[in-house]
């Protein structure tokens, strides 16, 4: 903060520019969408997409922390979302009727986040012992395991308390009892308490957490461990600890996103969170640019909306989505275009 | 396993079919909000052509525990052989191009459709249909490599990974447009009889599957170790730049690797569909992931590792389905993978083996 000139100078100084841009983008998008919502100019289709979009944004920001900043390929982000979603749904189901919706939503997200962070910590212990592609396949395996376990989980709730069961459901429920998670049927009859404002606040929260982390001492340690493990270790950085920190925060953000996502639908099945969802989020992160959170925001919104915008093309939309994906990768990695872009940038400077 | 769209993966289907055969269907269905009636309607009611669970239908009550175990073991070997053939494709491509080819599972799907149409619409005999599928998949693999992967030789591995995911989406959706999402029943490729050895009965199909796997392994090992092209492949997998200096056309070798991998995928497709006779556009994804797991299990990049990993994975999957829990078999399979990787971080045959291809 050498050239700090008031608050504007602080916000626009090089170190904080990307942070300022992120917050501005989110705030502007929120205000614009709220105006459109209030004046009734937003179609039902898009209104329904707002909350899921914020959920994917939060999950993608978390994943970018893990893949971009910490440099570990994670193919199981959806598994963490599943943990958050189903714990959030349970919290909300148990508290229904006694706690007002807003507080219930906050509690569900916080508990979902904490529980997922704990699960992330447990999974992180074995996962972070591995490296490279082996680490990636193990996160994929964990994602599948979590999804399969939740698919066989039965949670019910009645006046006597919460009941868990595994694989087979054999509860005798008292008066007013109901299933919160019903094995392969998932969570049904959830009260839809998620809303766009909560989603936006969560996105801002995720950005604050991530930016404060990467501009801190710990964040620099994480990046040092990514760039050169041995050199980082030699100057006294605890690799296991820094990697674990990024992994757990990434998982926690995915859990919070999952909790919000789960409370946005009246029914939710665990198979929604299979490896395809993990890969979808990874695509957002890679196309946005590794370690670039503004890129993540833009890429997530565009790629999330793209299939919807192509809806007019009906059956062809996913085909076109696939072609766009391949073309973006081919164009951004084209040697000729790259050298051109580099020379243009040089001229500007 | 009980996804609301049970047609999405072949193993989901086989699970639901197992419910009918071993009678656990009714046991598992006690809760008030039971999801299974819906599945019952969707699940194929016709008798299983698939031989993998045939032993369950024993006419005279339960088979003896030892026989049941042996029978499960053979069934596991059959499934493992299919995984091993798919895993070979993953491991070869990884060994030479250093990329995770996420589209490999979808090449299997294309092979399955080609074989399906060859058998049903054109009435081709078995070898001709298989050959056609192999040719189509080989061409597809080479074309995909040329168009999508070759321009990315110098790019980061994540870019290549995303491109492979794009190719996978493309193939799945193209298949859905061309052939619709409704599942098609794969015809039986050989007689559905069983070979009886003592008290043990093994379906001919399982024998064929295992035999094919052995033949493929022998041919591939001979090719890699005894031919000039094979040693060029080994050279490429060890050091591409040095191989180039030795006058090896590295691009050609990579294309050839994709061709072989995709051709093997077609063979695997026919065997897979003969055992689990439902052809859908997403048919390849789950076996693809499992085979990828198998390749990592055995040490990715190693050919014997792929065989070992595939067979072990198949056996573990069938045994856990038979003795522990049908629903949790995937949990067990992936759990074993994690344990193995923690004990041996580069897979079973990962580092020891110098001949990585």
């Amino acid at each position: 903060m050498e050239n700090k000139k008031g608050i504007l100078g602080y916000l626009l100084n090089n170190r904080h520019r990307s942070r300022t841009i992120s917050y501005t983008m989110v705030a502007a998008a929120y205000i614009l969408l709220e105006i459109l919502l209030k004046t009734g100019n937003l179609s039902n289709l898009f209104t329904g997409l707002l909350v899921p979009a914020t959920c994917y944004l939060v999950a993608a920001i978390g994943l970018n922390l893990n893949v971009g900043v910490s440099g570990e390929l994670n193919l199981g982000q959806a598994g963490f979302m599943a943990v958050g979603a189903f714990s959030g749904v349970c919290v909300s189901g148990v508290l229904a009727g006694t706690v007002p919706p807003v507080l219930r939503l906050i509690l569900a997200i916080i508990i979902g986040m904490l529980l997922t962070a704990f699960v992330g910590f447990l999974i992180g212990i074995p996962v972070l012992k591995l490296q490279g592609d082996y680490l990636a396949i193990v996160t994929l395996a964990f994602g599948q395991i979590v999804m399969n376990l939740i698919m066989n989980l039965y949670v019910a709730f009645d006046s006597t308390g919460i009941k868990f069961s595994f694989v087979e459901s054999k509860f005798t429920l008292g008066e007013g009892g109901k299933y919160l998670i019903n094995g392969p049927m998932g969570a049904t009859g959830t009260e839809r308490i998620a809303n766009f404002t909560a989603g936006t606040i969560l996105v801002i929260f995720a950005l604050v957490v991530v930016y404060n982390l990467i501009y801190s001492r710990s964040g620099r340690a994480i990046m040092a461990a990514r760039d050169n493990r041995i050199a980082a270790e030699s100057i006294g950085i605890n690799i296991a600890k820094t990697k674990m920190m990024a992994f757990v925060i990434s998982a926690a953000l995915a859990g919070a996103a999952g909790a919000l996502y789960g409370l946005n639908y009246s029914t939710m099945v665990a198979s929604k969170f299979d490896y395809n969802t993990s890969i979808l989020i990874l695509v957002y992160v890679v196309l946005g640019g590794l370690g670039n959170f503004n890129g993540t925001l833009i890429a997530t919104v565009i790629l999330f909306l793209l299939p919807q915008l192509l809806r007019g093309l009906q059956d062809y939309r996913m085909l076109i989505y696939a072609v766009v994906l391949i073309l973006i990768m081919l164009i951004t990695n084209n040697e000729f275009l790259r050298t051109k872009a580099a020379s243009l940038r040089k001229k500007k400077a | 396993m009980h996804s609301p769209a049970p047609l999405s993966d072949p193993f989901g289907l086989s699970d639901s079919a197992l419910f009918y055969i071993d009678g656990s269907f009714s046991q598992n269905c006690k809760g008030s909000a039971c999801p299974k009636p819906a599945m019952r309607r969707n699940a194929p009611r016709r008798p299983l052509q698939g031989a993998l669970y045939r032993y369950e239908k024993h006419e005279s009550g339960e088979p003896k525990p030892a026989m049941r175990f042996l029978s499960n073991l053979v069934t596991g070997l059959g499934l493992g052989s299919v995984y091993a053939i798919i895993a070979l494709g993953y491991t070869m491509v990884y060994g030479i191009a250093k990329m995770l080819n996420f589209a490999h599972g979808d090449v299997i799907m294309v092979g399955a459709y080609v074989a399906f149409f060859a058998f049903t619409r054109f009435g081709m005999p078995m070898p001709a249909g298989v050959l056609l599928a192999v040719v189509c998949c080989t061409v597809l693999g080479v074309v995909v490599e040329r168009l999508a992967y070759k321009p990315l030789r110098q790019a980061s591995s994540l870019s290549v990974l995303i491109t492979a995911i794009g190719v996978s989406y493309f193939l799945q959706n193209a298949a859905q447009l061309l052939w619709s999402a409704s599942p098609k029943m794969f015809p039986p490729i050989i007689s559905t009889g069983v070979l009886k050895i003592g008290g043990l009965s093994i379906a001919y199909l399982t024998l064929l599957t295992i035999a094919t796997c052995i033949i493929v392994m022998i041919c591939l090992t001979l090719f890699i170790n005894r031919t000039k092209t094979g040693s060029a492949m080994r050279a490429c997998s060890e050091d591409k730049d040095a191989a180039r200096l030795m006058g090896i056309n590295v691009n050609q070798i990579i294309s050839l690797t994709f061709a072989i991998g995709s051709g093997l995928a077609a063979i695997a497709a026919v065997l897979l569909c003969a055992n689990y006779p439902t052809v859908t556009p997403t048919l390849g994804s789950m076996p693809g992931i499992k085979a990828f797991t198998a390749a990592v299990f055995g040490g990715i990049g190693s050919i014997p590792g792929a065989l070992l990993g595939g067979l072990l994975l198949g056996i573990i999957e069938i045994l856990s389905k038979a003795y522990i829990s049908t629903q949790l078999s995937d949990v067990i399979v992936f759990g074993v993978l994690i344990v193995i990787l923690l004990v041996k971080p580069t897979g079973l045959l990962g580092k020891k083996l110098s001949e990585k291809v």
Side-chain angles (χ1 to χ4, degrees):
Chain A
M1 256 146 280
E2 297 81 50
N3 47 359
K4 183 175 170 184
K5 288 184 215 110
I7 193 130
L8 198 70
Y10 172 79
L11 288 175
L12 291 180
N13 112 5
N14 271 342
R15 268 180 70 185
H16 299 285
R17 193 180 290 149
S18 57
R19 190 194 308 224
T20 314
I21 293 172
S22 293
Y23 298 146
T24 318
M25 276 198 308
V26 176
Y30 175 70
I31 293 168
L32 184 73
L33 286 167
E34 274 295 310
I35 291 172
L36 285 176
L37 267 176
K38 290 277 161 13
T39 53
N41 279 323
L42 212 59
S43 70
N44 272 340
L45 173 71
F46 276 89
T47 313
L49 290 176
L50 291 177
V51 178
T54 56
C55 296
Y56 280 116
L57 277 171
V58 175
I61 291 168
L63 187 64
N64 200 355
L65 177 64
N66 201 356
V67 180
V69 179
S70 175
E72 304 294 359
L73 180 56
N74 178 354
L75 296 175
Q77 190 78 341
F80 293 131
M81 277 182 88
V83 174
F86 285 91
S87 51
V89 165
C90 285
V91 169
S92 167
V94 169
L95 297 179
T98 51
V99 181
V102 179
L103 191 61
R104 196 145 36 104
L105 180 65
I106 295 171
L107 278 176
I109 290 176
I110 290 175
I111 295 177
M113 186 161 75
L114 291 179
L115 191 71
T116 316
F118 180 65
V119 172
F121 174 72
L122 290 185
I123 292 178
I125 295 170
V127 162
L128 295 172
K129 289 205 169 106
L130 301 166
Q131 286 177 20
D133 294 324
Y134 290 96
L135 188 145
I137 184 79
V138 167
T139 54
L140 190 154
F142 268 117
Q144 291 293 103
I145 289 178
V146 167
M147 185 191 87
N148 273 298
L149 287 179
I150 293 178
M151 267 171 143
N152 292 297
L153 181 68
Y154 294 83
V155 179
F157 167 70
D158 64 3
S159 49
T160 57
I162 307 170
K163 294 172 179 176
F164 294 92
S165 165
F166 214 58
V167 178
E168 262 183 89
S169 60
K170 41 189 172 189
F171 305 125
T172 41
L173 288 182
E175 190 101 340
K178 65 168 185 172
Y179 277 89
L180 296 172
I181 302 175
N182 195 358
M185 299 271 281
T188 48
T190 313
E191 199 184 329
R192 300 178 53 183
I193 52 175
N195 57 58
F196 182 48
T197 309
T200 312
I201 294 171
L202 199 58
V203 173
I204 297 275
F205 170 75
L207 286 171
V208 169
V209 168
V210 164
Y211 277 125
N212 277 317
L213 178 69
I214 60 174
Y215 290 124
S216 72
R217 186 190 163 90
S218 311
R220 287 190 295 274
I222 293 172
M223 285 184 267
R226 169 196 66 189
D227 291 338
N228 193 329
R229 207 182 170 100
I230 295 164
E233 218 162 8
S234 74
I235 54 165
I237 291 173
N238 185 341
I239 304 285
K241 204 178 117 194
T242 54
K243 295 258 176 213
M244 181 62 94
M245 191 193 297
F247 194 78
V248 169
I249 293 174
S250 166
L253 290 178
L260 188 71
Y261 195 82
L263 292 171
N264 188 46
Y265 296 96
S266 52
T267 55
M268 177 63 45
V269 288
S271 55
K272 179 88 191 64
F273 300 102
D274 62 354
Y275 84 107
N276 282 315
T277 311
S278 301
I279 283 177
L280 201 69
I281 303 170
L282 182 68
V283 170
Y284 298 157
V285 170
V286 176
L287 285 191
L290 292 178
N292 181 340
F293 292 93
N294 286 324
T296 305
L297 291 177
I298 297 169
T300 307
V301 170
I302 292 177
L303 287 175
F304 182 71
L305 291 181
L306 191 62
Q308 315 297 336
L309 295 174
L310 295 172
R311 205 165 264 262
L313 301 161
Q314 286 167 357
D315 296 342
Y316 293 92
R317 67 193 178 113
M318 284 314 286
L319 200 66
I320 293 171
Y321 180 82
V323 174
V324 169
L325 203 60
I326 299 170
L327 284 181
I328 290 175
M329 280 346 282
L330 291 183
I331 291 167
T332 51
N333 285 294
N334 190 301
E335 267 321 296
F336 177 72
L337 290 177
R338 272 200 157 182
T339 43
K340 271 272 165 200
S343 66
L344 269 180
R345 226 172 286 150
K346 236 181 217 167
K347 254 181 219 166
K348 245 186 181 174
Chain B
M1 277 303 99
H2 308 278
S3 54
L7 305 174
S8 60
D9 76 300
F11 297 104
L13 261 185
S14 61
D15 287 343
S16 64
L18 190 67
F19 280 120
Y20 302 114
I21 300 165
D22 64 14
S24 64
F25 182 86
S26 50
Q27 288 171 13
N28 274 346
C29 192
K30 273 176 189 160
S32 53
C34 176
K36 277 129 195 171
M39 294 215 41
R40 179 177 245 153
R41 250 180 284 123
N42 289 339
R45 291 297 292 172
R46 51 192 266 152
L48 268 191
Q49 285 169 339
L52 290 185
Y53 293 112
R54 185 160 290 281
Y55 70 91
E56 300 273 7
K57 290 213 300 188
H58 265 288
E59 47 284 341
S60 55
E62 278 285 296
K64 285 193 187 106
M67 278 303 142
R68 198 169 125 82
F69 179 77
L70 269 182
S71 183
N72 279 321
L73 209 59
V74 175
T75 311
L77 274 178
L79 180 63
S81 304
V82 179
Y83 285 152
I85 300 175
I86 306 172
L88 283 176
Y90 274 109
T91 218
M92 286 179 70
V93 167
Y94 184 87
I96 290 181
K98 292 283 176 290
M99 68 168 282
L100 301 176
N101 185 10
F102 260 84
H104 195 65
D106 301 288
V107 176
I108 299 172
M109 178 269 299
V110 172
Y113 271 101
V114 171
F116 169 77
F117 285 115
F119 292 145
T120 54
R121 197 156 298 172
F122 307 118
M124 283 187 186
M126 205 266 270
V130 176
L131 195 67
L132 182 70
V134 170
V135 171
C136 285
C137 281
T138 307
V139 172
L140 178 72
V142 173
V143 168
V144 164
E145 198 273 329
R146 265 297 138 76
L147 293 181
Y149 303 149
K150 197 180 167 198
L152 297 174
R153 268 310 127 70
Q154 309 301 328
S156 75
S157 64
L158 262 182
S159 303
V160 187
L161 183 77
I162 301 290
T163 312
I165 291 164
V167 172
S168 162
Y169 282 172
F170 180 85
L171 291 178
Q172 276 184 24
N173 287 289
Q176 195 161 338
L177 281 177
L178 285 174
W179 303 310
S180 92
S182 61
K184 296 181 169 44
M185 274 313 197
F186 202 79
I189 53 168
I190 55 163
S191 99
T192 52
V194 290
L195 179 71
K196 282 210 156 73
I197 309 167
L200 182 69
S201 45
I202 307 167
Y204 286 131
L205 183 59
T206 312
L207 288 177
L208 177 75
T209 311
I210 297 171
T212 313
C213 177
I214 294 170
I215 295 167
V216 163
M217 270 308 294
I218 292 174
C219 292
L220 203 62
T221 314
L222 286 179
F223 172 73
I224 298 285
N225 291 330
R226 298 286 167 86
T227 64
K228 208 173 170 186
T229 326
S231 54
M233 282 177 122
R234 276 182 295 157
C236 280
S237 85
E238 259 169 44
D239 190 331
K240 270 197 211 72
D241 294 320
R244 202 172 278 124
L245 289 175
M246 294 296 118
I248 293 169
N249 187 340
V250 174
N251 274 330
Q252 214 169 35
I253 293 292
I254 293 181
S255 284
L256 181 69
T257 313
F258 271 89
I260 295 176
S262 307
L264 291 178
I267 296 175
V270 174
L271 292 174
L272 185 72
C273 289
N275 282 309
Y276 297 95
T278 325
V279 186
T280 64
T282 49
L283 145 116
S285 56
M286 205 55 201
I289 289 225
K290 293 251 180 80
F292 176 41
T293 309
V296 178
F297 205 63
I300 193 153
S302 144
I303 287 183
L307 176 75
L308 185 67
L311 292 181
L312 277 180
L313 198 77
I315 292 171
I316 293 171
E317 183 175 336
I318 294 294
L319 289 185
S320 53
K321 265 184 188 164
Y323 293 104
I324 305 173
S325 161
T326 321
Q327 290 101 315
L328 294 181
S329 69
D330 280 2
V331 175
I332 296 163
V333 165
F334 288 118
V336 172
L337 168 84
I338 291 165
V339 172
I340 296 266
L341 282 187
L342 286 179
V343 180
K344 287 199 64 123
T346 50
L348 289 174
L349 303 179
K351 228 167 207 168
K352 274 193 292 184
L353 223 83
S354 52
E355 48 163 50
K356 279 189 182 174
V357 169

